Amino acid sequence: MNEQSLVNNYKTWRKDNFYDKEGFFPIFSSFKEKMRYLSPGAISLYIYLGLHANYKTGEVYHSLGTIAMYFGKSTRTITNWMKELEDNDLIFRKQKKLNHVSHTYLKPY
């Protein structure tokens, strides 16, 4: 595949997804400053949360179990990745009711 084909394929892919109103999650250039302090797992989790967040509020309701199942990891691993994201000021988590799913909020970086 030549260079022009690659460029054209990307343009078409981006345009088609935009017009089909596919959801997306922007990762801005300043995220690269945060990446150096995150494990690959935490970065993957951040992208997962972004793709599932309410686009107006940045809120995600997925349980640790649901996320663990998706990644094929233990809930303990997901908890550790969440802690990394919290420690790096990328998310805020709050359990609104005892024994209920925590709400995870994406924070601006």
Side-chain angles (χ1 to χ4, degrees):
M1 187 172 270
N2 66 37
E3 191 174 332
Q4 191 58 48
S5 293
L6 291 168
V7 169
N8 288 338
N9 284 345
Y10 181 83
K11 284 180 182 178
T12 301
W13 169 76
R14 186 174 173 168
K15 182 181 71 164
D16 289 349
N17 279 293
F18 179 77
Y19 286 120
D20 289 342
K21 299 194 183 323
E22 289 292 325
F24 68 95
F25 173 59
I27 296 184
F28 300 103
S29 297
S30 56
F31 185 73
K32 69 183 171 190
E33 296 303 319
K34 296 286 188 177
M35 284 176 53
R36 72 177 77 194
Y37 304 107
L38 299 171
S39 69
I43 293 169
S44 294
L45 176 58
Y46 185 73
I47 294 168
Y48 173 92
L49 293 171
L51 291 171
H52 291 92
N54 177 303
Y55 78 96
K56 289 183 181 178
T57 65
E59 191 172 6
V60 185
Y61 305 102
H62 290 203
S63 70
L64 292 175
T66 298
I67 297 168
M69 224 181 324
Y70 174 81
F71 283 106
K73 301 290 184 186
S74 69
T75 55
R76 179 75 175 148
T77 297
I78 302 305
T79 299
N80 290 337
W81 293 350
M82 288 281 191
K83 176 92 169 83
E84 280 186 66
L85 296 177
E86 286 180 296
D87 289 349
N88 284 279
D89 209 27
L90 289 168
I91 64 170
F92 175 78
R93 299 195 69 205
K94 181 175 184 166
Q95 189 172 23
K96 294 186 176 185
K97 293 182 182 178
L98 187 61
N99 297 324
H100 281 78
V101 173
S102 291
H103 292 227
T104 303
Y105 298 87
L106 299 178
K107 295 175 72 177
Y109 50 88

